[in-house]
Amino acid sequence: MENGEQPLLSPSKDEYHNSQIHDHVGSSTGIQYFFREFCVESKKLWYLAAPAIFTSICQYSLGAITQVFAGQLGTTELAMVSVENSIIAGFCYGIMWGMGSALETLCGIAFGAGHLEMLGIYMQRSWIILNVTALLLMFLYIFATPVLKIIGETDEISEEAGLFSLWMIPQLFAYAMNYPLTKFLQAQSKFMAMAVISAVTIVLHTVFSWLLMLKLGWGMVGAAVVLNLSWWFIVLAELVYIFSGACGRAWTGFSWMAFQNLWGFLKLSLASALMLALEIWYMMALALFAGYFMDAEVSVDASSICTNILGWTIMAGFGLNAAVSVRVSNELGAAQPRAAKFSAVVVGATSSLIGLFLALVLTVSGKQYPSLFSTDSQVKDLVYELTPLLGLAILVYNLQFALAGWQSYVAYVNLGCYYLVGIPSCLLMAFKFNMGIQGIWWGILVGSVLEASIISWIMYKTDWNKEASIAGDKLQQWGEKTFNDTEF
């Protein structure tokens, strides 16, 4: 795309002027006009969101499929993978994914304004920052066993999960490479390429997990080998795609400019990391608190199964968030605030409908699906008891993740709703009122419902003209000046 061309899927100002939504839709004509424009915007979103959702599901499923096979080996193996995946890897996942998300806004705005040369520079800066972060986080993997014991996990689970954490260190550095690659490709709407790579990966991962873990009897060693290789296969495949020239001027090779202004980029990365890390760490509380009950192994297994299913289903919200981030950033970069606002409205409505549908499907199949994850009757019964709460969580989280895009606001919202309201509610209901694992899920939902409501209100009250102006300022601050070797 040349500088003078319109960004992909972004209508020209004249086109959007002719199709903008009426401020008052009280008449039947106004309502019809609204729904017609809703359908037009939905097509643009789904063109991006469908492969993004598929990619998110595939990548999330790598760990989830490993847990499914671990559950076939036994409750100890399932708890071993669940705790490492939810607490150790989950903690690092929140930081790495959040820091990688700093690229989302910058790359989206630069692409929307036609400054493609900056995308590769931004990605390289993010690689530097995330790999240094991975070196620091590696100590959490090394000392996972004492850390898990300190936070209250049983000795047996801590020892097993700590051993598995050591085997999973290569995955940590794959995270550091993958998340910047993801944001780089998303900004250019290269969703289909990522979807194809993820599809190949998930097929290979499933086949080799079955082969090594069950057929050849490698057990948890096989799980670690396949999971590490799967994540690194994604990274290497995406690098080959980029280096082959598929991204045009967005990738012009490695540059020393990647080492400039790292402090400013680090501050932006930390702001993004705080938002998503708080979100993911909140979900880690489910696995952590479940280990405090007398029947810790059963509680951890049942909770991890529900968390896995919740993770799978909210990938729709993640995919829609990726799509709307591209749409909104491109529209703001092209100085079209009304189009950006309407994209946010459409994605909010769409994510709510998807969440409702998925929750209904899960509720109807409540007696059948636990057998897919465990052979233990106690675990299956507890999962069935948690199904109504899980369905409600799916509805809330899909809306919440789809709209979580205002870092400066959402970090504070997360902190208040989750850690000042949600966590205390978990502990109060579970242990004070003896509601057990259901009390933990009720507490989690209290904080999540509150946050989803506040995020929706923030979106409604956002001054989109001001956001367009801010986008222009960011482009000047982080785009042209940076490209000409000046400071942030």
Side-chain angles (χ1 to χ4, degrees):
M1 179 183 293
E2 300 299 325
N3 286 354
E5 296 177 356
Q6 290 292 331
L8 181 64
L9 297 179
S10 295
S12 68
K13 293 180 181 179
D14 289 338
E15 288 174 335
Y16 185 72
H17 175 76
N18 292 331
S19 64
Q20 60 180 295
I21 309 305
H22 288 202
D23 291 330
H24 304 285
V25 291
S27 66
S28 59
T29 303
I31 294 174
Q32 292 172 358
Y33 199 83
F34 174 86
F35 281 107
R36 184 166 68 248
E37 294 303 317
F38 188 98
C39 291
V40 170
E41 179 61 30
S42 292
K43 289 180 181 178
K44 295 174 182 177
L45 281 170
W46 278 107
Y47 178 85
L48 301 173
I53 291 171
F54 180 78
T55 300
S56 298
I57 290 174
C58 287
Q59 293 190 5
Y60 178 84
S61 296
L62 296 179
I65 287 173
T66 299
Q67 286 189 216
V68 169
F69 282 111
Q72 304 306 310
L73 294 174
T75 56
T76 300
E77 287 81 358
L78 178 56
M80 177 180 181
V81 178
S82 299
V83 170
E84 187 279 334
N85 198 36
S86 300
I87 298 178
I88 303 301
F91 180 87
C92 298
Y93 178 96
I95 294 176
M96 305 292 273
W97 180 263
M99 294 185 75
S101 294
L103 289 178
E104 200 161 64
T105 300
L106 293 182
C107 286
I109 292 172
F111 185 83
H115 294 265
L116 302 186
E117 297 86 353
M118 291 309 305
L119 271 65
I121 304 298
Y122 292 150
M123 180 172 66
Q124 291 173 62
R125 285 182 186 160
S126 191
W127 275 340
I128 295 169
I129 291 171
L130 263 66
N131 275 285
V132 172
T133 303
L135 284 172
L136 299 175
L137 292 174
M138 184 174 64
F139 290 100
L140 180 60
Y141 281 69
I142 295 172
F143 298 105
T145 295
V147 168
L148 290 171
K149 289 180 179 179
I150 288 172
I151 61 178
E153 291 293 344
T154 65
D155 288 347
E156 182 182 4
I157 291 177
S158 297
E159 294 287 346
E160 296 292 341
L163 178 61
F164 192 67
S165 296
L166 287 173
W167 299 340
M168 294 309 302
I169 289 176
Q171 182 192 51
L172 175 63
F173 289 92
Y175 286 165
M177 296 297 294
N178 180 65
Y179 299 148
L181 283 166
T182 297
K183 301 307 178 184
F184 172 82
L185 292 171
Q186 283 179 356
Q188 302 166 72
S189 302
K190 303 290 187 181
F191 290 94
M192 191 57 67
M194 290 190 294
V196 172
I197 292 170
S198 297
V200 173
T201 304
I202 199 66
V203 171
L204 293 175
H205 181 81
T206 304
V207 171
F208 281 100
S209 292
W210 170 80
L211 179 64
L212 296 184
M213 294 177 66
L214 301 182
K215 187 69 174 178
L216 298 181
W218 287 25
M220 300 314 299
V221 174
V225 169
V226 177
L227 195 52
N228 283 318
L229 289 177
S230 295
W231 274 99
W232 274 105
F233 176 82
I234 293 174
V235 170
L236 294 175
E238 289 178 349
L239 285 173
V240 169
Y241 175 78
I242 293 170
F243 294 164
S244 68
C247 297
R249 289 190 296 114
W251 177 258
T252 56
F254 293 99
S255 171
W256 288 108
M257 287 179 60
F259 293 92
Q260 297 176 7
N261 307 317
L262 285 174
W263 175 243
F265 205 87
L266 175 62
K267 290 190 292 185
L268 184 65
S269 298
L270 290 173
S272 298
L274 179 62
M275 180 190 74
L276 282 177
L278 290 174
E279 191 94 35
I280 293 171
W281 295 344
Y282 184 58
M283 291 302 298
M284 284 168 50
L286 285 170
L288 180 62
F289 295 153
Y292 293 164
F293 295 108
M294 292 295 294
D295 52 346
E297 200 168 271
V298 172
S299 298
V300 168
D301 286 354
S303 186
S304 68
I305 289 171
C306 292
T307 305
N308 248 334
I309 294 170
L310 178 61
W312 261 319
T313 55
I314 62 176
M315 288 302 107
F318 264 118
L320 286 168
N321 179 266
V324 78
S325 293
V326 172
R327 292 286 297 129
V328 168
S329 295
N330 285 357
E331 297 293 3
L332 292 178
Q336 298 184 55
R338 289 178 65 87
K341 177 181 180 179
F342 194 58
S343 291
V345 171
V346 171
V347 82
T350 303
S351 61
S352 296
L353 291 174
I354 292 174
L356 181 60
F357 172 75
L358 293 173
L360 289 173
V361 169
L362 189 68
T363 301
V364 170
S365 62
K367 279 287 189 181
Q368 289 76 37
Y369 76 86
S371 298
L372 298 174
F373 297 88
S374 178
T375 56
D376 187 278
S377 59
Q378 287 182 289
V379 173
K380 290 190 288 186
D381 290 343
L382 186 53
V383 170
Y384 177 70
E385 291 178 17
L386 293 172
T387 296
L389 295 175
L390 178 57
L392 181 57
I394 290 170
L395 176 61
V396 173
Y397 270 89
N398 265 290
L399 174 63
Q400 184 177 317
F401 276 94
L403 295 179
W406 291 272
Q407 285 92 338
S408 59
Y409 289 102
V410 176
Y412 294 108
V413 174
N414 280 350
L415 187 62
C417 295
Y418 287 169
Y419 296 92
L420 299 182
V421 177
I423 295 296
S425 298
C426 283
L427 298 175
L428 190 65
M429 293 183 186
F431 300 104
K432 178 66 175 178
F433 297 119
N434 297 317
M435 294 175 65
I437 193 69
Q438 292 195 27
I440 291 177
W441 276 82
W442 273 116
I444 291 288
L445 280 169
V446 167
S448 300
V449 169
L450 181 60
E451 196 214 16
S453 301
I454 294 175
I455 289 176
S456 299
W457 176 252
I458 289 173
M459 187 195 75
Y460 174 74
K461 298 296 290 184
T462 295
D463 185 339
W464 292 92
N465 290 315
K466 181 179 178 181
E467 293 296 319
S469 176
I470 292 173
D473 292 341
K474 287 181 178 179
L475 185 61
Q476 291 294 321
Q477 186 178 12
W478 296 320
E480 295 174 356
K481 289 185 179 180
T482 306
F483 196 70
N484 289 310
D485 296 340
T486 57
E487 294 297 323
F488 263 75

